[in-house]
């Protein structure tokens, strides 16, 4: 497991996690960080505008950096962003349908 975060690890719980042999921690900006080899899974729970988050996901998929993914899209309030749920859903479907092998 590789954990990527631009903020360094803090707290006793994180120290205990980092002692595990199967966890690597990378202090980097998760928007720009990419693995040096293909990973089985990527889990993303970044707080980003949904279109920016989708842009990062599409980059991972186009470059075949993961075999599977769980990706959280966070919807901003419509009043402040002007983004509608349907706009995001339509864009996700459109973007992902253009990537070969993505089901």
């Amino acid at each position: 497991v590789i954990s990527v975060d631009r903020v360094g690890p803090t707290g006793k719980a994180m120290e205990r996690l980092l002692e595990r042999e199967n966890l690597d921690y990378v202090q980097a900006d998760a928007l720009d960080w990419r693995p040096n080899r293909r990973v089985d899974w990527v889990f993303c729970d970044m707080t980003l505008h949904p279109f920016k988050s989708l842009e990062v996901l599409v980059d991972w998929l186009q470059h075949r950096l993961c075999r599977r993914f769980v990706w959280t899209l966070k919807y901003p309030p419509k009043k402040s962003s002007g983004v509608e749920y349907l706009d995001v859903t339509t864009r996700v479907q459109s973007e992902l349908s253009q990537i070969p092998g993505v089901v």
Side-chain angles (χ1 to χ4, degrees), residues 37-81:
R37 63 177 175 77
R38 190 176 192 194
V39 298
D40 288 327
W41 284 92
V42 63
F43 294 86
C44 176
D45 191 39
M46 293 185 285
T47 302
L48 294 172
H49 188 282
F51 294 148
K52 180 62 179 174
S53 186
L54 179 60
E55 179 182 313
V56 176
L57 172 60
V58 166
D59 182 69
W60 273 74
L61 297 176
Q62 286 177 335
H63 290 95
R64 304 261 186 246
L65 296 174
C66 62
R67 289 179 179 85
R68 297 169 192 90
F69 63 91
V70 175
W71 207 271
T72 304
L73 292 175
K74 304 200 176 177
Y75 293 84
K78 180 184 170 197
K79 286 182 183 179
S80 63
S81 69

Side-chain angles (χ1 to χ4, degrees), residues 49-51 54 73-76 81-95:
H49 188 282
F51 294 148
L54 179 60
L73 292 175
K74 304 200 176 177
Y75 293 84
S81 69
V83 175
E84 297 262 1
Y85 175 82
L86 187 58
D87 296 337
V88 175
T89 304
T90 301
R91 184 128 163 221
V92 167
Q93 290 173 336
S94 173
E95 295 277 343

Side-chain angles (χ1 to χ4, degrees), residues 6-19:
R6 70 178 132 189
V7 178
T10 58
K12 293 261 185 219
M14 189 58 151
E15 287 175 21
R16 285 193 300 270
L17 278 174
L18 292 175
E19 291 172 359

